[in-house]
Amino acid sequence: FFARRDKDLDRLSGLPDKVLLQIISLLPLKEIVRTSILAIRWKDLFSLVSDISIDDNNVIRKSLGNGYMNIVERFLFSRKRDVGIDKFRLKCGKIVDPFRINGWIQYALGYHVKELDLTIGIKGFNELNFGVFTCKTLVILRLSMDKGSILSVPTYFRLPNLKVLHLGLMKCSDDGSVDRLFSGCISLEELHLRNCEVSNMNKLRVCNATLKKLFLSGFMGTDHEIEIITPNLVHFSYYYTGTKGFSLINLNSLSEARIYIGPYLFSTIDFAPSATALMNGISQARSLYLTLYSSKPILLTPGLVPQFPNLTYLNLEMGGCLPEWKILLANSPCLDTLVLDFEFSGSGLESHNNGRDETEKVPGCLMYKVKTIKLLSFQGKPFESQVVEYLLKNAKVLERFTVRLSGKKRLRTKISKEVRALSRVSKKCQVTII
């Protein structure tokens, strides 16, 4: 009776191998091996795992390092030889010996790995396994190394099936390494460069005809140029931290751009030309997310803001004043949806001269195109209240006006009543307070 009851309760063991393998792949490596003692059903299941994750952060004490590395190697050599590797993740820097790293990577390459995720935090580790640069089965490669490490791309570099490439916290040896890197990825669709050291380079050149998504952030060093030639790019995300020169060529396919510009760039006009070139390069985008961490953005001044003829969606997050963001509206004749995020509308805003000029021309898109407006992180500050009045007064075809409040409950209730009481020029406008 009890045996039958226990069997009925062990529903987990009754699941198909594919499902069980997905479950145990989420466990730390040591726990994956331990599943072999649960029951006969589980004895050899761990040897069929195709998603492997090795992370020495799971080791509590450094003195246990040798034991952990031995477990890793016993696990690797206990796997079924006819089972390939879909994903191999290696995160080390705490206790793993450097000389074992390339051996483990070679093991994954030998099993036709499709996704390789390497985070190597060992200072001065530069001798990455050569096979990483020539693996024909790789579809996704994520590579992050210690800041002191230098990535030297070999002369023969070819990843014919690679579609996604992430590089973080590293330094390329020279401009030639970068050129070889991108030219060798003939099927690349998505590229991430994060916190990379470019101080020893004259130009960071991203030239790739197949690339569809590009993410750049946190480059260390400003004495360099950036050139992007990606005719099929549809998404561009960039955290701009300053550069000597900027050039975006033929981004006519761009659908969405997300640009973040840091505050210190606005203390000087030195970076204004390259920032302006950046804005010109993304001017064909249909959706724009723009974050300006400054109350005095030099970028949004007459003559520097280009025309955005295709822009239908604008999400603007800035600590700035009304006349400045209105320039963007004036240059976006097809704008349909406007989102303003006031999260960074901090101190100093009220000191700006935000007085309304009744003779000032209202942007055409606001009067004839904009149907949806959303205000986020709204706290009812004088500047914010003025924005609401301006929009409701001039948005003639507005249909949906949403305000998401922040702050204390009593204040939110007061602001909600004030906003609902404002007059609106559009008879179709529905106001929603969240």
Side-chain angles (χ1 to χ4, degrees), residues 70-223:
N70 290 334
I71 290 174
V72 169
E73 295 187 345
R74 283 201 301 269
F75 165 76
L76 294 179
F77 290 107
S78 297
R79 290 181 69 256
K80 299 287 185 182
R81 300 203 174 194
D82 57 345
V83 177
I85 296 179
D86 292 328
K87 181 177 180 179
F88 186 84
R89 177 177 176 267
L90 173 60
K91 185 176 182 180
C92 60
K94 184 179 178 182
I95 57 97
V96 171
D97 292 336
F99 68 87
R100 300 205 193 196
I101 292 175
N102 277 323
W104 294 348
I105 294 174
Q106 184 60 47
Y107 175 90
L109 295 172
Y111 280 83
H112 310 295
V113 63
K114 298 176 183 176
E115 181 175 346
L116 196 58
D117 190 340
L118 306 175
T119 303
I120 304 174
I122 299 176
K123 189 174 182 180
F125 182 86
N126 299 320
E127 300 299 325
L128 190 64
N129 191 299
F130 178 78
V132 173
F133 302 108
T134 57
C135 182
K136 295 181 180 180
T137 60
L138 265 185
V139 177
I140 300 175
L141 173 60
R142 298 184 181 92
L143 180 58
S144 180
M145 302 173 69
D146 184 81
K147 291 182 180 180
S149 300
I150 299 177
L151 179 65
S152 181
V153 180
T155 304
Y156 180 76
F157 172 83
R158 192 168 180 84
L159 296 174
N161 293 304
L162 191 73
K163 294 186 180 299
V164 179
L165 175 62
H166 290 228
L167 298 177
L169 292 173
M170 65 177 59
K171 182 177 183 179
C172 283
S173 58
D174 51 33
D175 292 17
S177 281
V178 176
D179 291 338
R180 290 192 296 273
L181 184 67
F182 298 138
S183 62
C185 301
I186 59 175
S187 301
L188 192 64
E189 295 181 0
E190 184 174 319
L191 173 63
H192 295 244
L193 298 179
R194 178 181 57 84
N195 295 335
C196 292
E197 173 67 68
V198 293
S199 60
N200 65 327
M201 298 172 55
N202 296 315
K203 178 182 289 188
L204 174 63
R205 187 170 182 264
V206 180
C207 181
N208 191 289
T210 61
L211 198 65
K212 295 180 179 179
K213 296 182 179 180
L214 177 60
F215 301 81
L216 306 178
S217 65
F219 291 127
M220 290 172 274
T222 58
D223 193 27

Side-chain angles (χ1 to χ4, degrees), residues 154-397:
T155 304
Y156 180 76
F157 172 83
R158 192 168 180 84
L159 296 174
N161 293 304
L162 191 73
K163 294 186 180 299
V164 179
L165 175 62
H166 290 228
L167 298 177
L169 292 173
M170 65 177 59
K171 182 177 183 179
C172 283
S173 58
D174 51 33
D175 292 17
S177 281
V178 176
D179 291 338
R180 290 192 296 273
L181 184 67
F182 298 138
S183 62
C185 301
I186 59 175
S187 301
L188 192 64
E189 295 181 0
E190 184 174 319
L191 173 63
H192 295 244
L193 298 179
R194 178 181 57 84
N195 295 335
C196 292
E197 173 67 68
V198 293
S199 60
N200 65 327
M201 298 172 55
N202 296 315
K203 178 182 289 188
L204 174 63
R205 187 170 182 264
V206 180
C207 181
N208 191 289
T210 61
L211 198 65
K212 295 180 179 179
K213 296 182 179 180
L214 177 60
F215 301 81
L216 306 178
S217 65
F219 291 127
M220 290 172 274
T222 58
D223 193 27
H224 64 279
E225 297 180 14
I226 295 179
E227 183 178 70
I228 298 174
I229 307 175
T230 49
N232 291 301
L233 198 71
V234 295
H235 178 98
F236 180 48
S237 180
Y238 184 31
Y239 194 109
Y240 182 77
T241 54
T243 178
K244 185 171 63 176
F246 206 100
S247 176
L248 290 95
I249 301 172
N250 191 16
L251 267 64
N252 295 329
S253 299
L254 194 62
S255 176
E256 179 179 290
R258 293 175 179 259
I259 307 298
Y260 310 82
I261 300 184
Y264 70 91
L265 294 178
F266 300 98
S267 60
T268 173
I269 202 168
D270 291 347
F271 295 109
S274 61
T276 302
L278 169 62
M279 294 295 285
N280 284 322
I282 63 170
S283 61
Q284 299 300 315
R286 291 184 284 276
S287 297
L288 174 60
Y289 294 75
L290 181 61
T291 301
L292 303 173
Y293 296 96
S294 173
S295 60
K296 296 180 180 180
I298 296 174
L299 187 61
L300 295 188
T301 54
L304 293 183
V305 180
Q307 290 289 322
F308 289 87
N310 304 320
L311 195 67
T312 59
Y313 180 95
L314 174 62
N315 187 311
L316 183 59
E317 184 176 352
M318 62 176 285
C321 51
L322 184 61
E324 291 166 337
W325 60 259
K326 280 166 58 180
I327 297 173
L328 273 174
L329 269 63
N331 289 8
S332 307
C334 296
L335 193 66
D336 174 81
T337 301
L338 173 64
V339 180
L340 296 177
D341 194 333
F342 296 109
E343 183 177 356
F344 294 96
S345 61
S347 60
L349 287 173
E350 289 75 8
S351 64
H352 290 292
N353 181 14
N354 287 325
R356 288 169 290 183
D357 183 354
E358 301 298 337
T359 64
E360 186 178 21
K361 185 177 180 180
V362 177
C365 69
L366 190 59
M367 292 192 293
Y368 306 115
K369 289 288 186 178
V370 175
K371 295 182 179 179
T372 302
I373 295 178
K374 297 179 182 179
L375 304 183
L376 308 180
S377 304
F378 190 85
Q379 301 180 54
K381 297 177 181 179
F383 161 71
E384 298 170 355
S385 298
Q386 181 187 334
V387 170
V388 173
E389 291 180 21
Y390 177 82
L391 293 173
L392 291 178
K393 177 183 177 181
N394 294 291
K396 293 183 179 180
V397 296

